[in-house]
Amino acid sequence: MLRILQFLYSLRSFLLFVLLEVLAIWLIVANNSPQGAAFFNSSTAVIGSVLNTQSEVVGFFSLAEANEALLAENAQLSEELKILRLAPDSIQIHLDSAFAATFEFTGARIISNSLRFAQNHITLNKGEKDGIKPGMGIFNEEGVVGRVKSVSSNYAVAISLLNTGLLISSKIKSNDAFGSINWDGKSSRQAKMLYVPRHVTALVGDTVVTSGFNAVFPEGIPIGIISSVNQTGDPNYLDILVDLTTDFSKVRYVYLVENTQVNEQDSLYLQSEIQDEF
Amino acid sequence: MNFKRLITYSFLVLILGLIQVLLLKNIALFGIAFCFIYLLTILSFPTTMAHIPLLLISFGIGLLIDVFYDTLGMHALAATFLAFLRPFWLKIISPIGGYDDTTDPSISEMGIGWFLTYSLPLVFAFCLVFFLVDQWGTGGVLNVLNKSLFSTIFTVILAIIVQLLFFKRRRGI
């Protein structure tokens, strides 16, 4: 018995090494499920405030660009508002629940972003106090950005679209064929569109938008433009490459969207025994 | 390790850690060459440092960087691996007569050739583990090797520059 203990003692640094590596692997695995419990990340108060200060300093230099983007979006919104605003002599009809507002929007600023890894994350400067919840969709005026993973009271961490673990339900705008957008970990400007059957005619130049099926994003938020369609690889599905419309190296101000009826939809799925398939 | 050295090393960890997470986090030359300058702290601990504190400190530093990178565990895993290899590699490349008690594995004491033989394989081992974990499941072995090789070169070049500019010829012992 003593000799076993002596033997183990002589191996103590190797054993400690193995223990630490197992701990690290456990952390990686526990932290990698898209909605998993992330308990220790950049949404922690101290680290969040450091990143916030850094982004404020860096952000000062891109204020002009941010202003321009806001101006462009304001112009577009006021154009749309002109159509929606009722003329004084028109009749007002109450619409049914199909058209009731199911989505709520909030704005936030990105304080930390990465795009060079296979699993990229984004930190936002708003958290639980501002009504941010895990699972909310993130987009900006250019297109889809990601999805919130976990929140603390002042900050939130999101999975970027540039993360091989994130699938976004999407469709080709011209013919409504739906599939899933998934990043392949290669270029930060391109992603793959999966599960589009071979009979669908997908053309280079077609726009890909969110489908609104997974109750995270409303329908019609741009994602990208098809840059190549191939019939190689999988015998059932097309191999579609999409140029992302969002420039992830420049994204700073984003909108968060929450589906207020997601609980109702989820409980309905549960009732009819449908798993979330996206 | 006396108190003054302890302060020096804490200062080094803090400064290089801050530079890593605030300046170098999003820098990738040509999209493949990353810089992990904080490894210089683990590389420049005294040669006679015991295994167990070295492993624990490296794990801690890795975890700290991880928290800022949102890659919980990845830096810790790779940095611990580097710390595990370090004593063995130091033994293999030890000069005739061995190291004395106060030898620092730095350019000013050991020369640039020795430092290259010392740091290149260790940093490469770190990069290999890091990018293997990062690219796990994406099936790009060539991509992993490519990124590891160029990140190693970039990191070591920057480590040499930092040492030449900021490390005193004889750190106060």
Side-chain angles (χ1 to χ4, degrees):
Chain A
M1 187 65 203
L2 190 69
R3 291 187 66 170
I4 295 174
L5 285 177
Q6 270 173 344
F7 175 68
L8 287 180
Y9 186 71
S10 66
L11 279 179
R12 64 196 184 280
S13 68
F14 180 72
L15 290 176
L16 180 72
F17 166 68
V18 172
L19 184 83
L20 289 177
E21 295 295 61
V22 168
L23 187 65
I25 290 170
W26 177 74
L27 282 173
I28 294 171
V29 173
N31 204 38
N32 250 358
S33 67
Q35 291 292 321
F39 52 90
F40 197 54
N41 53 27
S42 63
S43 69
T44 321
V46 182
I47 288 145
S49 67
V50 172
L51 291 172
N52 201 9
T53 321
Q54 185 214 9
S55 116
E56 266 166 23
V57 174
V58 177
F60 181 76
F61 298 102
S62 60
L63 275 182
E65 229 165 90
N67 257 339
E68 244 164 62
L70 281 177
L71 250 155
E73 207 192 2
N74 267 343
Q76 192 207 334
L77 286 177
S78 55
E79 197 124 300
E80 278 172 29
L81 203 63
K82 220 184 285 170
I83 307 166
L84 291 176
R85 199 172 278 149
L86 293 170
D89 56 346
S90 63
I91 307 163
Q92 203 172 349
I93 306 167
H94 283 286
L95 302 169
D96 67 1
S97 69
F99 295 95
T102 54
F103 290 100
E104 277 180 10
F105 298 89
T106 13
R109 184 161 55 88
I110 287 180
I111 60 172
S112 161
N113 188 8
S114 67
L115 41 115
R116 305 292 188 191
F117 301 104
Q119 263 82 39
N120 293 302
H121 291 86
I122 292 170
T123 313
L124 303 170
N125 71 335
K126 284 194 178 172
E128 213 166 4
K129 273 205 288 204
D130 311 284
I132 311 294
K133 297 186 189 109
M136 282 169 92
I138 305 170
F139 64 98
N140 71 354
E141 69 279 354
E142 294 176 317
V144 169
V145 173
R147 195 175 175 191
V148 177
K149 181 180 185 181
S150 60
V151 290
S152 67
S153 58
N154 287 312
Y155 301 98
V157 168
I159 316 169
S160 166
L161 179 60
L162 302 182
N163 187 314
T164 50
L166 185 66
L167 286 165
I168 288 173
S169 180
S170 54
K171 67 178 184 187
I172 299 170
K173 205 177 176 183
S174 60
N175 56 12
D176 277 353
F178 65 89
S180 283
I181 287 286
N182 183 225
W183 192 49
D184 53 1
K186 289 188 182 124
S187 160
S188 66
R189 307 300 317 252
Q190 289 182 322
K192 282 254 155 77
M193 188 173 184
L194 310 174
Y195 313 129
V196 178
R198 288 208 148 186
H199 67 267
V200 171
T201 44
L203 295 174
V204 172
D206 276 354
T207 314
V208 177
V209 296
T210 53
S211 68
F213 285 172
N214 64 2
V216 175
F217 289 103
E219 197 182 332
I221 293 178
I223 296 174
I225 290 161
I226 295 178
S227 72
S228 80
V229 181
N230 285 316
Q231 300 231 334
T232 49
D234 198 297
N236 295 322
Y237 303 113
L238 289 171
D239 188 16
I240 300 179
L241 203 63
V242 175
D243 279 339
L244 298 172
T245 47
T246 316
D247 185 353
F248 280 87
S249 60
K250 282 185 185 158
V251 53
R252 296 196 57 77
Y253 293 91
V254 290
Y255 304 103
L256 289 107
V257 56
E258 185 194 6
N259 187 342
T260 49
Q261 292 175 357
V262 70
N263 286 337
E264 197 179 328
Q265 282 187 20
D266 279 353
S267 59
L268 191 62
Y269 285 151
L270 214 63
Q271 209 179 320
S272 44
E273 290 170 350
I274 298 173
Q275 302 286 319
D276 199 347
E277 283 165 345
F278 85 93
Chain B
M1 200 191 293
N2 62 25
F3 187 67
K4 201 173 166 190
R5 284 193 103 179
L6 192 72
I7 297 283
T8 320
Y9 284 118
S10 319
F11 192 67
L12 193 67
V13 169
L14 192 74
I15 293 293
L16 287 183
L18 277 178
I19 289 173
Q20 180 71 45
V21 297
L22 295 182
L23 296 178
L24 297 172
K25 188 183 160 189
N26 281 324
I27 285 180
L29 286 188
F30 316 114
I32 47 170
F34 294 74
C35 185
F36 303 106
I37 192 66
Y38 76 96
L39 296 179
L40 183 59
T41 55
I42 300 173
L43 289 177
S44 60
F45 284 135
T47 45
T48 47
M49 193 165 171
H51 293 198
I52 285 178
L54 184 69
L55 282 173
L56 287 173
I57 290 171
S58 306
F59 185 78
I61 293 173
L63 211 59
L64 213 65
I65 302 289
D66 269 332
V67 171
F68 281 94
Y69 268 68
D70 277 315
T71 55
L72 202 57
M74 275 162 56
H75 280 105
L77 183 90
T80 315
F81 185 63
L82 187 155
F84 176 70
L85 292 183
R86 201 189 94 131
F88 298 106
W89 186 239
L90 271 175
K91 206 181 274 174
I92 291 169
I93 60 166
S94 69
I96 300 158
Y99 308 98
D100 60 41
D101 206 27
T102 55
T103 312
D104 279 329
S106 62
I107 291 177
S108 53
E109 295 205 15
M110 307 298 292
I112 198 156
W114 184 88
F115 186 76
L116 283 176
T117 18
Y118 166 62
S119 60
L120 276 173
L122 288 178
V123 175
F124 185 71
F126 171 91
C127 291
L128 209 59
V129 172
F130 182 81
F131 288 115
L132 260 177
V133 176
D134 181 51
Q135 307 275 324
W136 196 261
T138 52
V141 183
L142 216 64
N143 204 4
V144 171
L145 286 175
N146 199 12
K147 279 186 173 177
S148 306
L149 186 68
F150 287 102
S151 304
T152 307
I153 295 170
F154 187 26
T155 305
V156 170
I157 288 176
L158 213 74
I160 290 171
I161 293 172
V162 167
Q163 288 203 19
L164 290 180
L165 286 182
F166 299 110
F167 279 30
K168 262 186 256 163
R169 209 134 278 275
R170 269 263 161 202
R171 215 193 279 111
I173 298 168

Short mmCIF file of all heavy atoms in Angstrom, two decimals, chain A residues 54-60 62-63 66 108-111 113 124 140 247-254:
data_model
loop_
_atom_site.label_atom_id
_atom_site.label_comp_id
_atom_site.label_asym_id
_atom_site.label_seq_id
_atom_site.Cartn_x
_atom_site.Cartn_y
_atom_site.Cartn_z
N GLN A 54 -13.02 49.49 -23.21
CA GLN A 54 -12.21 49.32 -24.42
C GLN A 54 -13.04 49.67 -25.66
O GLN A 54 -12.60 50.39 -26.54
CB GLN A 54 -11.71 47.87 -24.53
CG GLN A 54 -10.78 47.67 -25.71
CD GLN A 54 -10.93 46.29 -26.31
OE1 GLN A 54 -11.83 45.54 -25.96
NE2 GLN A 54 -10.05 45.97 -27.22
N SER A 55 -14.29 49.16 -25.70
CA SER A 55 -15.10 49.39 -26.89
C SER A 55 -15.50 50.85 -27.01
O SER A 55 -15.67 51.37 -28.12
CB SER A 55 -16.30 48.47 -26.86
OG SER A 55 -17.48 49.19 -26.78
N GLU A 56 -15.64 51.55 -25.86
CA GLU A 56 -15.96 52.97 -25.93
C GLU A 56 -14.82 53.74 -26.58
O GLU A 56 -15.04 54.63 -27.40
CB GLU A 56 -16.23 53.52 -24.53
CG GLU A 56 -17.71 53.50 -24.19
CD GLU A 56 -17.96 53.72 -22.72
OE1 GLU A 56 -17.09 54.30 -22.05
OE2 GLU A 56 -19.03 53.31 -22.25
N VAL A 57 -13.59 53.38 -26.21
CA VAL A 57 -12.43 54.07 -26.79
C VAL A 57 -12.34 53.77 -28.29
O VAL A 57 -12.20 54.67 -29.12
CB VAL A 57 -11.13 53.63 -26.08
CG1 VAL A 57 -9.92 54.22 -26.77
CG2 VAL A 57 -11.18 54.05 -24.63
N VAL A 58 -12.44 52.49 -28.64
CA VAL A 58 -12.34 52.12 -30.04
C VAL A 58 -13.51 52.67 -30.84
O VAL A 58 -13.36 53.15 -31.96
CB VAL A 58 -12.27 50.58 -30.18
CG1 VAL A 58 -12.23 50.17 -31.63
CG2 VAL A 58 -11.06 50.06 -29.46
N GLY A 59 -14.70 52.65 -30.19
CA GLY A 59 -15.92 53.08 -30.89
C GLY A 59 -15.90 54.53 -31.29
O GLY A 59 -16.54 54.93 -32.26
N PHE A 60 -15.15 55.33 -30.56
CA PHE A 60 -15.07 56.76 -30.86
C PHE A 60 -14.61 56.99 -32.28
O PHE A 60 -15.04 57.92 -32.96
CB PHE A 60 -14.11 57.41 -29.87
CG PHE A 60 -13.97 58.88 -30.06
CD1 PHE A 60 -14.97 59.74 -29.63
CD2 PHE A 60 -12.86 59.42 -30.70
CE1 PHE A 60 -14.85 61.09 -29.81
CE2 PHE A 60 -12.75 60.77 -30.88
CZ PHE A 60 -13.74 61.61 -30.44
N SER A 62 -15.16 55.16 -34.89
CA SER A 62 -16.06 54.75 -35.97
C SER A 62 -17.43 55.41 -35.83
O SER A 62 -18.41 54.95 -36.37
CB SER A 62 -16.19 53.24 -35.99
OG SER A 62 -16.71 52.80 -34.77
N LEU A 63 -17.47 56.53 -35.09
CA LEU A 63 -18.75 57.21 -34.89
C LEU A 63 -19.36 57.69 -36.20
O LEU A 63 -20.56 57.60 -36.41
CB LEU A 63 -18.55 58.40 -33.95
CG LEU A 63 -18.60 58.10 -32.46
CD1 LEU A 63 -18.45 59.38 -31.67
CD2 LEU A 63 -19.91 57.43 -32.09
N ALA A 66 -21.02 54.85 -37.94
CA ALA A 66 -22.24 54.44 -37.24
C ALA A 66 -23.37 55.43 -37.53
O ALA A 66 -24.52 55.04 -37.76
CB ALA A 66 -21.98 54.36 -35.74
N ALA A 108 -28.76 47.56 -28.89
CA ALA A 108 -27.62 47.34 -27.99
C ALA A 108 -26.34 47.60 -28.75
O ALA A 108 -26.34 47.70 -29.97
CB ALA A 108 -27.61 45.92 -27.44
N ARG A 109 -25.24 47.74 -27.99
CA ARG A 109 -23.94 47.96 -28.61
C ARG A 109 -23.06 46.74 -28.36
O ARG A 109 -23.09 46.16 -27.28
CB ARG A 109 -23.30 49.21 -28.00
CG ARG A 109 -21.99 49.61 -28.63
CD ARG A 109 -21.69 51.07 -28.30
NE ARG A 109 -21.72 51.32 -26.87
CZ ARG A 109 -20.66 51.17 -26.09
NH1 ARG A 109 -19.51 50.78 -26.59
NH2 ARG A 109 -20.74 51.42 -24.80
N ILE A 110 -22.30 46.37 -29.37
CA ILE A 110 -21.38 45.24 -29.22
C ILE A 110 -20.10 45.75 -28.56
O ILE A 110 -19.51 46.71 -29.03
CB ILE A 110 -21.07 44.62 -30.59
CG1 ILE A 110 -22.30 43.85 -31.08
CG2 ILE A 110 -19.87 43.71 -30.52
CD1 ILE A 110 -22.13 43.21 -32.41
N ILE A 111 -19.69 45.12 -27.45
CA ILE A 111 -18.46 45.57 -26.79
C ILE A 111 -17.32 44.59 -27.00
O ILE A 111 -16.18 44.89 -26.69
CB ILE A 111 -18.68 45.84 -25.29
CG1 ILE A 111 -19.15 44.59 -24.57
CG2 ILE A 111 -19.64 46.98 -25.09
CD1 ILE A 111 -19.20 44.78 -23.09
N ASN A 113 -16.13 41.26 -29.83
CA ASN A 113 -16.53 40.44 -30.97
C ASN A 113 -15.29 39.70 -31.47
O ASN A 113 -14.18 40.19 -31.37
CB ASN A 113 -17.08 41.36 -32.06
CG ASN A 113 -17.69 40.59 -33.20
OD1 ASN A 113 -17.85 39.38 -33.13
ND2 ASN A 113 -18.01 41.30 -34.27
N LEU A 124 -22.54 41.88 -25.53
CA LEU A 124 -23.37 43.08 -25.68
C LEU A 124 -23.38 43.87 -24.38
O LEU A 124 -23.21 43.30 -23.30
CB LEU A 124 -24.80 42.68 -26.05
CG LEU A 124 -24.95 41.85 -27.31
CD1 LEU A 124 -26.37 41.34 -27.41
CD2 LEU A 124 -24.61 42.68 -28.52
N ASN A 140 -28.70 43.48 -37.44
CA ASN A 140 -28.56 44.92 -37.64
C ASN A 140 -29.13 45.27 -39.01
O ASN A 140 -29.78 44.43 -39.65
CB ASN A 140 -27.11 45.37 -37.44
CG ASN A 140 -26.21 44.92 -38.55
OD1 ASN A 140 -26.63 44.16 -39.43
ND2 ASN A 140 -24.98 45.34 -38.54
N ASP A 247 -21.32 42.61 -42.43
CA ASP A 247 -19.87 42.66 -42.35
C ASP A 247 -19.48 42.54 -40.87
O ASP A 247 -19.55 43.50 -40.12
CB ASP A 247 -19.37 43.99 -42.94
CG ASP A 247 -17.85 44.02 -42.98
OD1 ASP A 247 -17.23 43.09 -42.44
OD2 ASP A 247 -17.31 44.98 -43.55
N PHE A 248 -19.09 41.32 -40.47
CA PHE A 248 -18.87 41.06 -39.05
C PHE A 248 -17.66 41.80 -38.49
O PHE A 248 -17.54 41.94 -37.28
CB PHE A 248 -18.74 39.55 -38.80
CG PHE A 248 -20.08 38.88 -38.75
CD1 PHE A 248 -20.66 38.42 -39.91
CD2 PHE A 248 -20.75 38.74 -37.56
CE1 PHE A 248 -21.90 37.83 -39.88
CE2 PHE A 248 -21.99 38.15 -37.52
CZ PHE A 248 -22.56 37.69 -38.68
N SER A 249 -16.77 42.26 -39.36
CA SER A 249 -15.62 42.97 -38.83
C SER A 249 -15.97 44.40 -38.45
O SER A 249 -15.20 45.08 -37.79
CB SER A 249 -14.49 42.95 -39.86
OG SER A 249 -14.93 43.58 -41.04
N LYS A 250 -17.16 44.87 -38.89
CA LYS A 250 -17.51 46.26 -38.60
C LYS A 250 -18.74 46.41 -37.72
O LYS A 250 -19.05 47.53 -37.32
CB LYS A 250 -17.77 46.99 -39.93
CG LYS A 250 -16.49 47.36 -40.66
CD LYS A 250 -16.82 48.17 -41.86
CE LYS A 250 -15.57 48.44 -42.68
NZ LYS A 250 -15.91 48.75 -44.06
N VAL A 251 -19.44 45.31 -37.45
CA VAL A 251 -20.72 45.44 -36.76
C VAL A 251 -20.52 45.99 -35.34
O VAL A 251 -19.66 45.53 -34.60
CB VAL A 251 -21.46 44.08 -36.77
CG1 VAL A 251 -20.59 42.99 -36.24
CG2 VAL A 251 -22.75 44.14 -36.02
N ARG A 252 -21.28 47.06 -35.00
CA ARG A 252 -21.13 47.68 -33.67
C ARG A 252 -22.48 47.86 -32.97
O ARG A 252 -22.62 47.55 -31.81
CB ARG A 252 -20.45 49.04 -33.78
CG ARG A 252 -19.03 48.98 -34.27
CD ARG A 252 -18.32 50.27 -33.98
NE ARG A 252 -18.35 50.57 -32.56
CZ ARG A 252 -17.57 49.99 -31.67
NH1 ARG A 252 -16.72 49.08 -32.04
NH2 ARG A 252 -17.64 50.33 -30.41
N TYR A 253 -23.47 48.38 -33.69
CA TYR A 253 -24.78 48.59 -33.08
C TYR A 253 -25.75 47.57 -33.64
O TYR A 253 -25.81 47.37 -34.86
CB TYR A 253 -25.27 50.01 -33.36
CG TYR A 253 -24.43 51.04 -32.66
CD1 TYR A 253 -23.34 51.61 -33.30
CD2 TYR A 253 -24.69 51.40 -31.35
CE1 TYR A 253 -22.53 52.52 -32.65
CE2 TYR A 253 -23.90 52.31 -30.69
CZ TYR A 253 -22.82 52.88 -31.34
OH TYR A 253 -22.03 53.76 -30.68
N VAL A 254 -26.48 46.91 -32.76
CA VAL A 254 -27.37 45.84 -33.22
C VAL A 254 -28.75 45.99 -32.59
O VAL A 254 -28.93 46.73 -31.62
CB VAL A 254 -26.81 44.45 -32.84
CG1 VAL A 254 -25.59 44.13 -33.66
CG2 VAL A 254 -26.54 44.35 -31.38
#
